[in-house]
Amino acid sequence: MSDQRLFAAALLNPDVPCPDGLTAWNDSDPTRRFAVYRNNVIVSLIDALADTFPVTQELVGEEFFRAMAGVFVRQAPPTSAQLVEYGEGLPTFITQFEPASTVPYLADVARLEMLRIRAFHAADADPLTPEQITQALADPTRLPLLQVGCHPSLNVLNSRYAIVSLWAAHQGIGDLASVNPALPEIALVIRVGLEVQVIALPPGGDVLIAGFAAGLPLGEAAGLAIATHPDFDLTAHLALLLRCGALSSFSLPTEVPS
Amino acid sequence: MTMPSPFASSISSAPNPQPRHRLPNRAGLGLKSQHFAEILATRPNLGFFEIHAENYLVAGGPFHHYLRRIRDHYPLSIHGVGLSIGADEPLDIAHLDRLAALLDRYQPQSFSEHLAWSTNNGQFFNDLLPLPYNLPTLTRVCDHLDQAQNHLQRRILLENPATYVEFAASTMDEATFITEIVHRTGCGLLLDVNNAYVSGVNHHRDPRASIAALPLAAVGEIHLAGFAEDQDATGAKLLIDTHGAPIAAAVWNLYAFALERLGPTPTLIERDNHIPALAVLLAEAQCAERWLGYAQQDRAV
């Protein structure tokens, strides 16, 4: 093993002794000096996770969160210098982290917070203009064929828990005590301008958007949503998506000249 | 022994008068997202801003929105923290490609990186880790710097590290090691005065002698920052380079010493933790500008 491989192993694992060959001017035990590096690595990565998952941290408290994040950091250090991506693995880790099992919705709240980071840094795209919308809706007979492009920042999270209400209550919107975590909610996460928004989608909205993402035309995507939710209201869903700038392109298949 | 570097000629020649290729001899600040809107609204009188490259390797959103606008009004330095030039593994070409795209997009006046390693076996440690100073590590660092400078098509400023341990395997001191790197690769230097002070205390070296022994003609930028104080196993003072505190008086004094030898040099106030209000950092930048003013007068005499 290379010297750096040994150094790296000792950084992450406190049970591995400080690497050989480290010295100090006063012949002091290098373990104490090496601990500065150990501490820098672990604490800076826990700090990075705390920045990404503020509501997750509030739900379990800072002490619990930092202890849990420390276990995660040692088990799954970053694989890239782009730390904004670090934490993608934390929600799944939480589902397997036994002490967190008393907060069953914790992993989904963490998933929601990770989607917010992704939306924040996602590619830019203009939402549809009113003219484009009017034009696309002008011919109702062609509507089912419409190809709908979603904004690059858009993501949907379908949860068994009231993640939108829980998240909002931690932003001072609504009363946390009145939230029933056991009510399923679907979160739409999107960046509107420079702000990331978290919006509750009515049932079936996730199916509709998954259809768009799969390249299905509007008619087929709506058909899937109606099949799973018989009272699905396409007009209301489209209005909501257009209102929050979630759609960035409409196109019709090019006509083959006869 | 090594091939002449295409960047070597820029060391001995006079500084390029084109401002496009050089930061102004003024104080600058690290750009923090907390201050984006205030900077655009108030346009503080500053020499430049510096960003950490890795924070901007994202597709879109507010970081690029604000940086694009701030870049319109200020010179820019891009400072990499993840290239891992000292690693005993090959450089990450995908990372170099992303850096090249970022440099192309923002055309910064300066790009700098660290004499350190931060990756191993596919893992990134988010810290600047130390290396022994000997011939094998020198060759490796120079190969990586040659590769990076060629890939990015520009001269890189290499930053002297703050370290907490030394290596039995070292065969030369830090200044000799750095001097040899500059010689072989034609890279420039980012003189981190706080790092020189921190390493000086931690390794019982005279930081003034360490700075004086560096190839100062290659310095293109100075960093100033704050440290925290700890102790080693014998109770001796151990300083930690935290970037989380105001610049210490001893570091200001060392800065003045460096300016006496360098003349006016672009100077960054670095604060990455416990980030205060913009006004607090602007006051530190003003303090640096006063020292830069004295250095200018000394030049004129």
Side-chain angles (χ1 to χ4, degrees):
Chain A
M1 271 215 280
S2 77
D3 291 345
Q4 288 188 357
R5 184 70 55 90
L6 291 167
F7 197 103
L11 282 174
L12 291 176
N13 187 345
D15 298 330
V16 171
C18 160
D20 289 338
L22 303 184
T23 62
W25 65 275
N26 55 3
D27 292 328
S28 63
D29 180 355
T31 306
R32 178 70 195 83
R33 288 167 172 260
F34 183 73
V36 176
Y37 292 107
R38 275 186 168 140
N39 188 62
N40 283 352
V41 171
I42 300 296
V43 170
S44 73
L45 292 173
I46 292 174
D47 286 347
L49 293 171
D51 284 347
T52 298
F53 300 100
V55 176
T56 307
Q57 175 168 299
E58 281 182 35
L59 284 169
V60 293
E62 187 178 345
E63 198 182 345
F64 184 103
F65 180 86
R66 293 189 73 87
M68 176 173 77
V71 177
F72 174 73
V73 164
R74 290 191 165 91
Q75 192 174 308
T79 55
S80 140
Q82 288 152 264
L83 279 189
V84 292
E85 295 167 0
Y86 189 49
E88 290 279 355
L90 187 71
T92 302
F93 171 85
I94 289 174
T95 62
Q96 292 148 11
F97 187 67
E98 212 277 323
S101 60
T102 53
V103 191
Y105 46 84
L106 194 65
D108 275 2
V109 170
R111 284 193 179 95
L112 178 64
E113 294 200 287
M114 198 66 224
L115 291 184
R116 294 190 79 255
I117 297 293
R118 264 199 240 166
F120 188 78
H121 294 297
D124 301 316
D126 291 326
L128 288 165
T129 63
E131 293 73 30
Q132 287 171 306
I133 295 167
T134 311
Q135 195 187 354
L137 303 180
D139 181 358
T141 61
R142 309 291 304 277
L143 268 184
L145 301 175
L146 204 61
Q147 295 281 338
V148 182
C150 294
H151 192 274
S153 72
L154 181 146
N155 268 291
V156 171
L157 179 61
N158 192 343
S159 176
R160 291 162 56 201
Y161 303 102
I163 47 168
V164 179
S165 303
L166 283 166
W167 184 84
H170 282 268
Q171 314 306 310
I173 308 160
D175 175 19
L176 186 58
S178 68
V179 175
N180 176 0
L183 291 178
E185 284 182 349
I186 305 168
L188 171 78
V189 181
I190 180 156
R191 192 180 76 237
V192 182
L194 299 176
E195 300 276 339
V196 176
Q197 301 205 354
V198 177
I199 298 162
L201 271 188
D206 54 331
V207 182
L208 182 73
I209 289 171
F212 294 158
L216 297 179
L218 178 58
E220 285 181 48
L224 285 180
I226 292 165
T228 49
H229 299 87
D231 55 352
F232 180 80
D233 181 346
L234 178 61
T235 310
H237 273 270
L238 279 181
L240 170 68
L241 295 176
L242 288 169
R243 201 165 53 236
C244 67
L247 307 181
S248 55
S249 71
F250 278 156
S251 61
L252 283 166
T254 45
E255 291 180 51
V256 183
S258 54
Chain B
M1 178 173 150
T2 46
M3 293 288 289
S5 160
F7 301 93
S9 61
S10 52
I11 297 174
S12 51
S13 63
N16 193 323
Q18 296 253 332
R20 199 164 71 82
H21 300 298
R22 225 187 113 79
L23 295 170
N25 290 329
R26 294 195 52 198
L29 283 186
L31 181 61
K32 295 291 145 193
S33 58
Q34 296 90 320
H35 302 145
F36 280 159
E38 188 180 351
I39 288 163
L40 274 185
T42 61
R43 300 257 198 91
N45 180 18
L46 268 175
F48 63 99
F49 280 101
E50 182 164 290
I51 61 163
H52 284 179
E54 284 70 14
N55 291 340
Y56 289 81
L57 301 180
V58 294
F63 275 44
H64 287 298
H65 171 93
Y66 283 109
L67 180 57
R68 199 161 55 238
R69 284 159 180 77
I70 289 168
R71 177 73 185 96
D72 284 343
H73 299 291
Y74 295 92
L76 180 69
S77 163
I78 295 188
H79 187 52
V81 297
L83 190 54
S84 204
I85 284 172
D88 63 7
E89 301 176 331
L91 291 184
D92 179 349
I93 302 296
H95 189 71
L96 272 175
D97 284 339
R98 287 189 288 268
L99 287 176
L102 187 73
L103 295 171
D104 190 50
R105 183 170 179 174
Y106 289 105
Q107 300 288 321
Q109 276 78 3
S110 174
F111 176 71
S112 48
E113 251 289 353
H114 298 85
L115 176 57
W117 60 284
S118 55
T119 57
N120 186 267
N121 196 25
Q123 297 179 332
F124 172 69
F125 299 105
N126 199 36
D127 195 24
L128 300 163
L129 301 166
L131 58 162
Y133 299 137
N134 55 36
L135 209 53
T137 58
L138 177 69
T139 307
R140 196 170 70 219
V141 167
C142 290
D143 287 348
H144 285 169
L145 263 171
D146 283 341
Q147 186 189 358
Q149 291 190 125
N150 281 317
H151 198 108
L152 302 175
Q153 280 300 297
R154 59 157 64 225
R155 188 185 196 214
I156 294 175
L157 303 185
L158 189 69
E159 179 177 329
N160 57 302
T163 57
Y164 312 109
V165 296
E166 293 180 296
F167 291 87
S170 286
T171 55
M172 55 188 111
D173 64 28
E174 189 170 287
T176 307
F177 191 79
I178 290 175
T179 302
E180 198 53 36
I181 294 171
V182 168
H183 228 75
R184 292 187 184 194
T185 67
C187 75
L189 275 188
L190 195 175
L191 174 61
D192 190 311
V193 172
N194 184 59
N195 287 357
Y197 183 76
V198 164
S199 291
V201 169
N202 291 348
H203 307 308
H204 210 55
R205 305 195 288 243
D206 174 6
R208 293 183 182 226
S210 303
I211 288 178
L214 289 170
L216 294 179
V219 172
E221 187 187 345
I222 288 176
H223 273 183
L224 296 175
F227 55 76
E229 208 173 309
D230 199 352
Q231 288 182 347
D232 77 1
T234 63
K237 204 189 270 184
L238 188 65
L239 300 185
I240 319 287
D241 176 36
T242 55
H243 299 182
I247 296 155
V251 173
W252 283 118
N253 288 337
L254 192 58
Y255 174 56
F257 170 85
L259 286 184
E260 277 170 27
R261 271 140 197 85
L262 288 167
T265 305
T267 301
L268 181 84
I269 308 296
E270 259 190 321
R271 185 73 77 89
D272 298 314
N273 291 298
H274 307 121
I275 294 164
L278 182 61
V280 174
L281 298 174
L282 288 171
E284 278 193 309
Q286 266 172 18
C287 190
E289 293 238 309
R290 278 197 290 277
W291 283 111
L292 287 167
Y294 301 145
Q296 187 63 53
Q297 287 166 17
D298 289 350
R299 276 287 119 135
V301 179

